[in-house]
Amino acid sequence: MADNCLFCRIIAGEIPSNKVYEDEHVFAFRDINPQAPVHILVVPKEHIACAADINADNSVAVARCFEAIAKIAKAEGLDTGYRVINNCGEDGGQTVMHLHFHLLGGEKLSEKML
Ligand code: 5GP
Ligand code: ZN
């Protein structure tokens, strides 16, 4: 756990969240400012600051997130599709420096939102 990391504190239960999924390695909760009817943040429990820090030693965390995403999407009834987004760094629009994937769905998403 990284000091002063919002998502580490959410994973630890120090800050409340609307949890939708948890296993040994992954935690997922609803975004506080949803951009679609379903907007879930899927995060590795291991603190990795951003996608630029993924390497051969920690990339299994990404695979585990995507395994969880497939399960969550089924549980949320996103049978006709969904979008997964990662923002990386300042220019990518990342505001919380703990790697996370936005799972968006529940409607036909704009083709402009890539
Ligand atoms: P980013 O901009 O880093 O890709 O995404 C950060 C996301 O975290 C944003 O969509 C924002 O709404 C969400 N967020 C920020 N603070 C909180 C919080 O305290 N709780 C929850 N559930 N989501 C948060
Ligand atoms: Zn963290």
Side-chain angles (χ1 to χ4, degrees):
M1 176 168 169
D3 288 346
N4 297 321
C5 171
L6 174 64
F7 288 175
C8 281
R9 295 186 70 198
I10 286 176
I11 292 163
E14 293 175 13
I15 294 173
S17 70
N18 194 341
K19 180 174 84 172
V20 297
Y21 177 87
E22 182 174 15
D23 65 29
E24 192 182 347
H25 302 287
V26 177
F27 194 90
F29 52 101
R30 294 193 193 279
D31 197 291
I32 205 167
N33 182 24
Q35 303 298 307
V38 175
H39 185 172
I40 293 166
L41 300 172
V42 182
V43 311
K45 288 187 174 176
E46 175 184 0
H47 180 87
I48 299 169
C50 66
D53 289 338
I54 296 166
N55 56 47
D57 292 331
N58 64 20
S59 61
V60 67
V62 177
R64 286 169 172 149
C65 283
F66 274 80
E67 289 175 32
I69 285 167
K71 291 179 195 169
I72 296 163
K74 284 187 185 72
E76 294 286 323
L78 304 180
D79 303 327
T80 50
Y82 51 87
R83 186 168 292 158
V84 179
I85 292 176
N86 169 256
N87 297 324
C88 179
E90 190 179 347
D91 283 3
Q94 184 176 6
T95 58
V96 179
M97 292 306 290
H98 180 128
L99 180 68
H100 55 279
F101 299 96
H102 297 257
L103 169 59
L104 297 149
E107 66 182 7
K108 176 88 174 157
L109 298 168
S110 162
E111 291 181 8
K112 290 181 183 166
M113 189 172 77
L114 289 176

